Short mmCIF file of all heavy atoms in Angstrom, two decimals:
data_model
loop_
_atom_site.label_atom_id
_atom_site.label_comp_id
_atom_site.label_asym_id
_atom_site.label_seq_id
_atom_site.Cartn_x
_atom_site.Cartn_y
_atom_site.Cartn_z
N GLY U 40 0.18 -9.73 0.95
CA GLY U 40 1.18 -8.69 1.20
C GLY U 40 1.29 -8.41 2.68
O GLY U 40 1.07 -7.30 3.12
N ILE U 101 -5.22 4.66 12.74
CA ILE U 101 -5.26 3.27 13.22
C ILE U 101 -4.91 2.38 12.03
O ILE U 101 -5.72 1.62 11.52
CB ILE U 101 -6.66 2.96 13.81
CG1 ILE U 101 -7.07 4.05 14.80
CG2 ILE U 101 -6.66 1.60 14.51
CD1 ILE U 101 -8.53 3.98 15.21
N GLY U 102 -3.68 2.52 11.56
CA GLY U 102 -3.28 1.94 10.28
C GLY U 102 -3.64 2.92 9.18
O GLY U 102 -4.62 3.66 9.29
N SER U 103 -2.84 2.96 8.10
CA SER U 103 -3.13 3.96 7.07
C SER U 103 -4.43 3.63 6.33
O SER U 103 -5.09 4.52 5.81
CB SER U 103 -1.96 4.11 6.10
OG SER U 103 -1.68 2.90 5.45
N LYS U 104 -4.81 2.38 6.29
CA LYS U 104 -6.08 2.00 5.64
C LYS U 104 -7.25 2.76 6.24
O LYS U 104 -8.15 3.20 5.53
CB LYS U 104 -6.30 0.48 5.81
CG LYS U 104 -7.56 -0.04 5.16
CD LYS U 104 -7.68 -1.53 5.40
CE LYS U 104 -8.79 -2.16 4.57
NZ LYS U 104 -8.83 -3.62 4.76
N GLU U 105 -7.21 2.92 7.55
CA GLU U 105 -8.28 3.65 8.25
C GLU U 105 -8.36 5.08 7.72
O GLU U 105 -9.45 5.58 7.41
CB GLU U 105 -8.00 3.61 9.76
CG GLU U 105 -8.99 4.38 10.61
CD GLU U 105 -8.51 5.78 10.95
OE1 GLU U 105 -7.43 5.94 11.56
OE2 GLU U 105 -9.23 6.73 10.59
N ILE U 107 -7.18 6.31 4.84
CA ILE U 107 -7.54 6.31 3.42
C ILE U 107 -9.05 6.10 3.28
O ILE U 107 -9.72 6.77 2.51
CB ILE U 107 -6.76 5.20 2.66
CG1 ILE U 107 -5.26 5.52 2.65
CG2 ILE U 107 -7.29 5.03 1.24
CD1 ILE U 107 -4.37 4.33 2.25
N TYR U 128 -4.52 -0.50 -4.71
CA TYR U 128 -5.10 -0.86 -3.41
C TYR U 128 -6.59 -0.51 -3.49
O TYR U 128 -6.93 0.64 -3.76
CB TYR U 128 -4.37 -0.02 -2.37
CG TYR U 128 -4.60 -0.38 -0.93
CD1 TYR U 128 -4.30 -1.65 -0.45
CD2 TYR U 128 -5.08 0.58 -0.04
CE1 TYR U 128 -4.49 -1.95 0.88
CE2 TYR U 128 -5.27 0.28 1.30
CZ TYR U 128 -4.99 -1.00 1.75
OH TYR U 128 -5.18 -1.29 3.07
N TYR U 131 -9.07 2.86 -2.16
CA TYR U 131 -9.25 4.21 -2.74
C TYR U 131 -10.64 4.35 -3.36
O TYR U 131 -11.33 5.32 -3.15
CB TYR U 131 -8.20 4.52 -3.82
CG TYR U 131 -6.76 4.22 -3.45
CD1 TYR U 131 -5.88 3.69 -4.39
CD2 TYR U 131 -6.28 4.49 -2.18
CE1 TYR U 131 -4.56 3.41 -4.07
CE2 TYR U 131 -4.96 4.22 -1.85
CZ TYR U 131 -4.11 3.67 -2.80
OH TYR U 131 -2.80 3.40 -2.49
N ASN U 174 0.15 6.16 -5.50
CA ASN U 174 0.85 5.30 -4.54
C ASN U 174 2.19 4.87 -5.13
O ASN U 174 2.22 4.06 -6.04
CB ASN U 174 -0.08 4.10 -4.22
CG ASN U 174 0.63 2.89 -3.64
OD1 ASN U 174 0.38 1.76 -4.06
ND2 ASN U 174 1.50 3.11 -2.68
N PRO U 176 6.45 4.04 -3.76
CA PRO U 176 6.51 2.81 -4.54
C PRO U 176 5.15 2.11 -4.53
O PRO U 176 4.45 2.12 -3.52
CB PRO U 176 7.57 1.98 -3.82
CG PRO U 176 8.47 3.01 -3.18
CD PRO U 176 7.55 4.13 -2.78
N ASN U 177 4.81 1.52 -5.67
CA ASN U 177 3.44 1.11 -5.94
C ASN U 177 3.14 -0.36 -5.61
O ASN U 177 3.91 -1.26 -5.91
CB ASN U 177 3.17 1.37 -7.43
CG ASN U 177 1.74 1.06 -7.83
OD1 ASN U 177 1.45 0.01 -8.41
ND2 ASN U 177 0.83 1.96 -7.52
N ASN U 178 2.00 -0.54 -5.00
CA ASN U 178 1.38 -1.84 -4.86
C ASN U 178 0.20 -1.83 -5.83
O ASN U 178 -0.64 -0.96 -5.71
CB ASN U 178 0.89 -2.02 -3.42
CG ASN U 178 0.08 -3.29 -3.23
OD1 ASN U 178 0.07 -4.17 -4.08
ND2 ASN U 178 -0.61 -3.38 -2.10
N ASP U 206 -0.21 7.68 -1.19
CA ASP U 206 -0.06 6.56 -0.28
C ASP U 206 1.41 6.13 -0.34
O ASP U 206 1.88 5.64 -1.36
CB ASP U 206 -1.00 5.44 -0.73
CG ASP U 206 -0.96 4.22 0.17
OD1 ASP U 206 -0.06 4.12 1.02
OD2 ASP U 206 -1.84 3.34 -0.01
N ALA U 207 2.12 6.34 0.78
CA ALA U 207 3.57 6.13 0.79
C ALA U 207 3.96 4.94 1.67
O ALA U 207 5.03 4.94 2.30
CB ALA U 207 4.27 7.41 1.25
N ALA U 208 3.12 3.92 1.69
CA ALA U 208 3.33 2.78 2.59
C ALA U 208 4.66 2.05 2.39
O ALA U 208 5.16 1.39 3.30
CB ALA U 208 2.18 1.78 2.45
N TYR U 209 5.25 2.19 1.17
CA TYR U 209 6.44 1.37 0.86
C TYR U 209 7.73 2.16 0.68
O TYR U 209 8.69 1.62 0.15
CB TYR U 209 6.16 0.54 -0.41
CG TYR U 209 5.10 -0.50 -0.19
CD1 TYR U 209 3.78 -0.25 -0.54
CD2 TYR U 209 5.40 -1.72 0.43
CE1 TYR U 209 2.79 -1.20 -0.31
CE2 TYR U 209 4.42 -2.66 0.66
CZ TYR U 209 3.12 -2.40 0.30
OH TYR U 209 2.14 -3.33 0.53
N HIS U 236 1.12 7.33 5.56
CA HIS U 236 2.26 6.49 5.90
C HIS U 236 1.84 5.44 6.89
O HIS U 236 0.82 5.58 7.57
CB HIS U 236 3.38 7.34 6.50
CG HIS U 236 4.65 7.20 5.74
ND1 HIS U 236 5.37 6.04 5.75
CD2 HIS U 236 5.29 8.05 4.92
CE1 HIS U 236 6.43 6.20 4.96
NE2 HIS U 236 6.40 7.41 4.45
N SER U 237 2.64 4.41 6.98
CA SER U 237 2.25 3.28 7.81
C SER U 237 3.48 2.67 8.45
O SER U 237 4.55 2.63 7.86
CB SER U 237 1.57 2.25 6.91
OG SER U 237 1.38 1.06 7.62
N LEU U 238 3.32 2.17 9.67
CA LEU U 238 4.43 1.43 10.28
C LEU U 238 4.36 -0.05 9.91
O LEU U 238 5.26 -0.82 10.21
CB LEU U 238 4.42 1.61 11.81
CG LEU U 238 5.03 2.95 12.28
CD1 LEU U 238 4.07 4.11 12.10
CD2 LEU U 238 5.50 2.87 13.72
N SER U 239 3.25 -0.43 9.25
CA SER U 239 2.97 -1.84 8.97
C SER U 239 4.07 -2.56 8.21
O SER U 239 4.54 -3.62 8.62
CB SER U 239 1.68 -1.97 8.17
OG SER U 239 0.57 -1.66 8.96
N LYS U 240 4.46 -2.01 7.06
CA LYS U 240 5.38 -2.72 6.19
C LYS U 240 6.82 -2.43 6.61
O LYS U 240 7.68 -3.30 6.55
CB LYS U 240 5.14 -2.33 4.73
CG LYS U 240 3.66 -2.28 4.29
CD LYS U 240 3.01 -3.65 4.21
CE LYS U 240 1.49 -3.63 4.17
NZ LYS U 240 0.81 -2.87 3.14
N MET U 244 4.68 -4.49 11.29
CA MET U 244 3.71 -4.21 12.35
C MET U 244 2.28 -4.21 11.81
O MET U 244 1.43 -3.47 12.32
CB MET U 244 4.03 -2.86 13.02
CG MET U 244 5.29 -2.90 13.89
SD MET U 244 5.77 -1.26 14.48
CE MET U 244 4.51 -0.91 15.68
N THR U 245 2.00 -5.05 10.82
CA THR U 245 0.65 -4.99 10.21
C THR U 245 -0.46 -5.22 11.23
O THR U 245 -1.51 -4.60 11.14
CB THR U 245 0.51 -6.01 9.06
OG1 THR U 245 1.01 -7.27 9.48
CG2 THR U 245 1.27 -5.58 7.82
N ARG U 248 -1.75 -2.02 13.89
CA ARG U 248 -2.61 -0.95 13.39
C ARG U 248 -2.09 0.43 13.81
O ARG U 248 -2.62 1.07 14.73
CB ARG U 248 -4.08 -1.12 13.84
CG ARG U 248 -4.68 -2.50 13.65
CD ARG U 248 -4.43 -3.09 12.27
NE ARG U 248 -4.94 -2.28 11.18
CZ ARG U 248 -4.20 -1.97 10.08
NH1 ARG U 248 -2.96 -2.39 9.94
NH2 ARG U 248 -4.71 -1.24 9.12
N LEU U 249 -1.05 0.87 13.15
CA LEU U 249 -0.53 2.22 13.41
C LEU U 249 0.00 2.83 12.11
O LEU U 249 0.82 2.25 11.41
CB LEU U 249 0.57 2.18 14.48
CG LEU U 249 1.08 3.54 14.97
CD1 LEU U 249 -0.05 4.35 15.61
CD2 LEU U 249 2.23 3.37 15.96
N GLY U 250 -0.52 4.02 11.82
CA GLY U 250 -0.07 4.76 10.66
C GLY U 250 -0.27 6.24 10.91
O GLY U 250 -0.61 6.65 12.03
N TYR U 325 6.88 -6.72 -3.72
CA TYR U 325 6.07 -7.39 -4.74
C TYR U 325 6.86 -7.57 -6.02
O TYR U 325 7.73 -6.76 -6.35
CB TYR U 325 4.82 -6.57 -5.05
CG TYR U 325 3.95 -6.34 -3.85
CD1 TYR U 325 3.80 -5.07 -3.30
CD2 TYR U 325 3.30 -7.41 -3.23
CE1 TYR U 325 3.01 -4.86 -2.18
CE2 TYR U 325 2.51 -7.21 -2.11
CZ TYR U 325 2.38 -5.94 -1.59
OH TYR U 325 1.61 -5.74 -0.47
N ARG U 366 0.64 -10.83 -9.42
CA ARG U 366 1.49 -10.25 -8.38
C ARG U 366 1.95 -11.35 -7.45
O ARG U 366 1.16 -12.19 -7.00
CB ARG U 366 0.71 -9.20 -7.57
CG ARG U 366 1.62 -8.41 -6.62
CD ARG U 366 0.83 -7.64 -5.58
NE ARG U 366 0.31 -8.52 -4.55
CZ ARG U 366 -0.35 -8.10 -3.47
NH1 ARG U 366 -0.60 -6.81 -3.30
NH2 ARG U 366 -0.78 -8.97 -2.57
C1 PLP W 401 -0.52 -2.42 3.16
C2 PLP W 401 -0.99 -1.21 2.46
C3 PLP W 401 -1.68 -0.20 3.14
C4 PLP W 401 -2.27 -0.38 4.52
O1 PLP W 401 -1.44 -0.34 5.52
P1 PLP W 401 -1.96 -0.27 7.02
O2 PLP W 401 -1.20 0.87 7.58
O3 PLP W 401 -1.60 -1.58 7.61
O4 PLP W 401 -3.43 -0.01 7.03
C5 PLP W 401 -1.98 0.96 2.47
N1 PLP W 401 -1.66 1.11 1.18
C6 PLP W 401 -1.03 0.16 0.49
C7 PLP W 401 -0.71 0.40 -0.93
C8 PLP W 401 -0.69 -1.03 1.10
O5 PLP W 401 -0.11 -2.00 0.38
#
Side-chain angles (χ1 to χ4, degrees):
I101 310 168
S103 61
K104 181 180 190 176
E105 177 264 301
I107 294 165
Y128 191 59
Y131 312 142
N174 160 225
N177 184 259
N178 173 13
D206 182 348
Y209 293 96
H236 237 291
S237 170
L238 280 78
S239 289
K240 316 289 164 57
M244 289 172 72
T245 46
R248 313 312 302 132
L249 187 61
Y325 301 112
R366 189 195 75 176

